[in-house]
Amino acid sequence: FKENRKDDIWLVDFYAPWCGHCKKLEPVWNEVGIEMKSMGSPVKVGKMDATSFSSIASEFGVRGYPTIKLLKGDLAYNYRGPRTKDDIIEFANRVAGPLIRPLPSQHMFEHVQKRHRVLFVYVGGESPLKEKYIEVASELIVYTYFFSASEDVLPEYVTLPELPAVLVFKDGTYFVYDEYEDGDLTSWINRERFQGYLNVDGFTLYELGDTGKLVAIAVIDDKNSSVEHTRLKSIIQEVARDYRDRFHRDFQFGHMDGNDYINSLLMDDLTIPTIVVLNTSNQQYFLPDRQIENTEDMVQFINSILDGTAEAQGGDGFLQRIKRIIYDAKSTVVSVFKSSPLLGCFLFGLPLGVISIMCYGICTADTDGGLDESESPKKEHGDRELTDEGSEEEQEEKKEKYTELSDGEPKQKTILEKKKD
């Protein structure tokens, strides 16, 4: 594989036999291989035990399991999307194909536009902008498609101020890249590769962190059709659509189903439905200080964040990190006991029992040692007295003489018998 891999395009799953996520991916990966072979794809699908072939895994920068990479010549593209069959196949077909795909006719343009919610197109001939466009495409092809077309292929409603130009088609309209207003082309494409309004989940929120935008989310219950849930979702959608030119450079809009993920992120219990604005770069978040009743209230809330008058909560400071460690530990313990009480008792009860026994042993050892030490000085003190006054035999002789002088023989015998005993 190492010697011949550049002759083909490879989609490889680097896994570890003991990894639970790898085992979960295995049936999906088998389906990917079967379907790509049946559709005649030039991409070869394989998997490698990264623990057995650690040198090759290290060569490709594998640091976690499972890691999915598409290997194309000297390039290795990381897959960072959802681990579903359709998403993995779509990624492989996109990256394995041409970097810039030409659109030769209006019919082809319409066909491609129906298939893709976000579409980047370069219009014009050779230019420094095209070179930059190709450079950005080589980096961001893992996320989206890049096309090129002539001006007469574009829909009639498109008007371009000048050529060459880069456009993005999404949300039922189009936007033209302006170097002076939008800055670097890479940053602009990275920001615009998402639709204006999204159904946000944990993975999408992680991906939005690369855009540098604040994320305004309506946290609702999709199964709840009450007026309050529907109203907050509609407010966010209206702001995303009607105030795009005003807020799209700084904000991404969407809704999230349920508050479980957002609670773990904020380390707080949010009552739904509600609206929260997240800063994914520093883990800060903003909550409205009053009820959001309409679009105007939401716009006012966003403006207060932009001008710095809204109070930021959370963050990535030292105290917040300590709080995060405690919260994660608490969540882990609770989740273990909820899923398997017996396992929780074993995991946490056994170590506590061992520690308790050790502490009891240490305390008991200290008490016995104290008695021995208290007796030891007495013995040493007695030895010292004998040493000062002579040996034990000398002491006996002295006492015998003293007894003879004082009370006579009977007294001497009594003392000697006691000494003997």
Side-chain angles (χ1 to χ4, degrees):
F1 168 78
K2 185 176 180 180
E3 295 175 355
N4 301 320
R5 73 166 185 84
K6 293 184 180 180
D7 298 336
D8 298 292
I9 301 174
W10 282 91
L11 182 66
V12 183
D13 168 29
F14 294 90
Y15 72 97
W18 44 261
C19 172
H21 295 292
C22 301
K23 293 176 182 178
K24 187 177 180 180
L25 176 64
E26 186 174 1
V28 176
W29 195 254
N30 292 335
E31 292 178 6
V32 169
I34 293 171
E35 183 159 335
M36 295 199 71
K37 185 175 181 179
S38 65
M39 64 193 298
S41 172
V43 179
K44 292 187 175 182
V45 181
K47 59 182 180 179
M48 178 178 291
D49 184 349
T51 60
S52 298
F53 302 97
S54 57
S55 60
I56 297 180
S58 179
E59 179 182 337
F60 289 114
V62 176
R63 296 182 178 85
Y65 310 111
T67 293
I68 299 173
K69 288 180 177 283
L70 188 133
L71 311 177
K72 183 179 179 183
D74 294 322
L75 300 176
Y77 296 91
N78 283 332
Y79 176 68
R80 297 172 59 185
R83 291 168 185 164
T84 64
K85 181 191 71 172
D86 293 338
D87 287 307
I88 293 173
I89 290 176
E90 201 269 343
F91 162 81
N93 290 333
R94 180 174 67 247
V95 180
L99 197 61
I100 309 295
R101 301 167 188 252
L103 298 174
S105 64
Q106 287 186 352
H107 177 73
M108 180 61 72
F109 183 93
E110 293 171 359
H111 172 73
V112 170
Q113 192 174 19
K114 290 178 182 178
R115 291 187 57 192
H116 303 289
R117 296 177 179 177
V118 179
L119 189 71
F120 289 96
V121 182
Y122 173 83
V123 182
E126 299 297 326
S127 68
L129 181 61
K130 184 176 183 180
E131 294 177 2
K132 182 64 177 177
Y133 184 72
I134 295 173
E135 180 184 335
V136 175
S138 64
E139 177 185 351
L140 300 181
I141 187 94
V142 294
Y143 300 118
T144 188
Y145 285 89
F146 293 87
F147 297 89
S148 64
S150 58
E151 190 174 7
D152 57 350
V153 169
L154 300 179
E156 295 181 357
Y157 62 81
V158 176
T159 57
L160 298 176
E162 60 180 0
L163 292 177
V166 176
L167 300 85
V168 58
F169 292 84
K170 65 176 185 178
D171 302 330
T173 184
Y174 72 97
F175 305 96
V176 182
Y177 166 67
D178 187 326
E179 183 178 1
Y180 298 102
E181 292 187 4
D182 299 317
D184 181 65
L185 180 62
T186 303
S187 301
W188 180 77
I189 291 178
N190 200 35
R191 292 195 305 268
E192 296 293 341
R193 62 187 176 91
F194 296 98
Q195 292 177 277
Y197 183 88
L198 297 170
N199 184 353
V200 181
D201 55 15
F203 173 77
T204 306
L205 198 58
Y206 173 78
E207 289 294 301
L208 289 171
D210 294 337
T211 66
K213 292 183 178 182
L214 299 173
V215 186
I217 304 173
V219 185
I220 62 173
D221 183 357
D222 275 338
K223 297 179 182 178
N224 191 326
S225 58
S226 65
V227 175
E228 185 66 12
H229 288 256
T230 306
R231 182 178 61 82
L232 288 183
K233 183 178 178 180
S234 300
I235 289 173
I236 296 290
Q237 287 175 328
E238 290 175 13
V239 173
R241 181 186 66 245
D242 300 338
Y243 292 84
R244 177 197 148 78
D245 292 341
R246 188 169 168 182
F247 297 134
H248 81 279
R249 288 185 178 86
D250 301 302
F251 280 85
Q252 174 68 48
F253 299 92
H255 79 274
M256 179 175 285
D257 181 21
N259 63 348
D260 291 340
Y261 184 83
I262 206 74
N263 284 347
S264 64
L265 193 67
L266 307 186
M267 296 180 287
D268 196 3
D269 292 327
L270 289 183
T271 303
I272 59 174
T274 188
I275 288 176
V276 60
V277 175
L278 303 173
N279 187 338
T280 55
S281 62
N282 60 9
Q283 299 181 11
Q284 286 184 342
Y285 62 94
F286 302 85
L287 296 173
D289 56 1
R290 57 189 176 88
Q291 184 70 21
I292 302 294
E293 299 290 345
N294 48 46
T295 305
E296 288 71 23
D297 289 343
M298 187 64 200
V299 171
Q300 185 177 354
F301 177 46
I302 292 176
N303 285 330
S304 68
I305 296 174
L306 291 176
D307 61 26
T309 57
E311 180 183 359
Q313 303 181 49
D316 55 0
F318 178 75
L319 293 178
Q320 284 296 319
R321 293 179 185 179
I322 298 297
K323 184 179 178 182
R324 169 63 63 183
I325 293 173
I326 297 173
Y327 180 87
D328 290 341
K330 179 182 175 182
S331 301
T332 301
V333 172
V334 171
S335 63
V336 169
F337 274 98
K338 282 185 177 180
S339 60
S340 178
L342 291 177
L343 178 61
C345 292
F346 177 78
L347 290 177
F348 300 103
L350 181 61
L352 289 176
V354 173
I355 293 172
S356 300
I357 294 173
M358 291 175 62
C359 291
Y360 175 78
I362 292 171
C363 293
T364 306
D366 286 342
T367 303
D368 296 341
L371 292 173
D372 293 340
E373 290 174 1
S374 64
E375 294 174 355
S376 179
K378 292 181 180 179
K379 185 177 180 182
E380 292 176 0
H381 183 65
D383 292 343
R384 240 187 340 263
E385 288 178 349
L386 290 175
T387 304
D388 293 339
E389 298 181 11
S391 65
E392 187 175 347
E393 294 178 355
E394 292 173 348
Q395 292 292 324
E396 290 179 1
E397 291 176 1
K398 289 181 180 179
K399 287 182 178 180
E400 289 175 4
K401 292 179 181 179
Y402 178 76
T403 306
E404 288 177 353
L405 294 172
S406 304
D407 300 325
E409 187 175 350
K411 185 71 174 176
Q412 176 185 350
K413 185 176 179 181
T414 303
I415 295 174
L416 289 174
E417 286 177 352
K418 287 182 178 180
K419 284 187 141 319
K420 186 178 180 181
D421 295 337

